[in-house]
Amino acid sequence: TLMVAVDAFSVSTRSSTTDVVVYGPASNRELVLLGSKLAAEANLNVKLICGEGTEAGCRRLMYGVEYADASEDADGKAVPISSGEDMAEALGEASSLILCGHDEALDESSISTFFNYVGPNLSKVVLISKMGVSKAGGGGGFFGGGDANLLKTETMLKSKLKEHGNAKLNIIRAGICKGGGPGNDDHGLNKCYYNTLLDAVEASMTMGHDKFTLGADITAGDSISLPNIMERMGTKSSFDPRPYDSSRIVVAKTAVASLFLDDDDASIDCSVSTAKGETPPSLEELKQMLSKTTSR
């Protein structure tokens, strides 16, 4: 796995400060990039773990072709990293992790490696997971087999954090994820993201979602069930808000907002649904929504 590269490096010195490390399997690409970009916009020092040779692609999707062609990471931007040395250093300094395990679960070896290298500064871990996972049981089923692995990720993270002793786990659950581009403003990824959507129907839906469905409805716990395949097919091209749909932009921004909750707040487990809106909620608004999902 990607994280095996970290094990080849022994940490000796620390030369910079990392606030947040963001990681997720390649199938969670949009959420990983959005979480990284939005965390950086919240004035956090962000390192994004990516595959070797994909750094330019990450920069392009987050910040555009011109930025990527410069091959330099500017201040205030998320920094893609792929070497074992850089990953080990970032993990050792990070105070927070954002882990994306929505479309695909994090493998056990990656989670174990993270906790071999995280340092004493770690205080919060945010997992972007999926609606309905806690009901997955043993998995199986035509479309639900992967949910058992997602549930396993949640269970393993809770166990690792208990061993670590300090950090809290916030779980942000998304349903059927839609959108992710800039919309009417620079709300999400760069506009070149839309060029990666080769299906015309998907592209049209995505752009509509990013313009008109940026509101948020946040509920406590794993409270929303995903629809069956027939219902999904019927709403695939729609950007109307639904409880089981989620804006990638809003989900990623909610994950970032959870990092700013007070340290004495209880851990968060919530589901993020879509609502009408031409701009996403602010971090402060999302913090208030999150606070209502739990009691101190």
Side-chain angles (χ1 to χ4, degrees), residues 96-279:
S96 302
L97 305 177
I98 297 177
L99 305 177
C100 301
H102 176 270
D103 293 310
E104 180 183 350
L106 280 71
D107 61 85
E108 292 185 39
S109 62
S110 293
I111 295 175
S112 295
T113 300
F114 267 112
F115 284 91
N116 285 339
Y117 283 89
V118 293
N121 293 333
L122 185 68
S123 62
K124 290 179 181 175
V125 175
V126 183
L127 173 66
I128 298 178
S129 190
K130 193 187 220 178
M131 292 177 182
V133 166
S134 64
K135 306 173 183 67
F142 190 64
F143 290 95
D147 287 356
N149 289 329
L150 297 176
L151 180 60
K152 189 174 182 180
T153 295
E154 294 183 13
T155 302
M156 187 173 182
L157 279 174
K158 290 175 182 177
S159 175
K160 289 292 184 181
L161 287 171
K162 187 175 182 180
E163 294 174 11
H164 188 271
N166 297 320
K168 292 181 179 178
L169 175 65
N170 293 330
I171 300 177
I172 310 297
R173 302 185 185 278
I176 300 170
C177 286
K178 296 180 177 180
N184 293 313
D185 201 349
D186 189 20
H187 297 308
L189 299 176
N190 184 266
K191 62 183 180 181
C192 68
Y193 167 64
Y194 293 136
N195 295 332
T196 69
L197 306 175
L198 302 181
D199 181 84
V201 173
E202 180 186 8
S204 177
M205 179 277 295
T206 300
M207 288 186 276
H209 208 274
D210 292 337
K211 290 181 178 180
F212 304 114
T213 322
L214 291 176
D217 183 12
I218 300 178
T219 54
D222 191 4
S223 54
I224 299 171
S225 298
L226 295 180
N228 61 41
I229 185 61
M230 297 305 295
E231 290 178 277
R232 296 189 200 194
M233 291 298 293
T235 61
K236 182 179 179 181
S237 61
S238 172
F239 51 83
D240 291 333
R242 289 179 173 82
Y244 51 77
D245 283 349
S246 302
S247 162
R248 289 188 179 95
I249 296 167
V250 175
V251 168
K253 195 167 185 178
T254 302
V256 174
S258 75
L259 298 177
F260 291 94
L261 294 171
D262 293 338
D263 288 340
D264 59 351
D265 281 347
S267 294
I268 295 292
D269 186 343
C270 68
S271 299
V272 181
S273 302
T274 52
K276 289 183 178 180
E278 296 184 14
T279 58

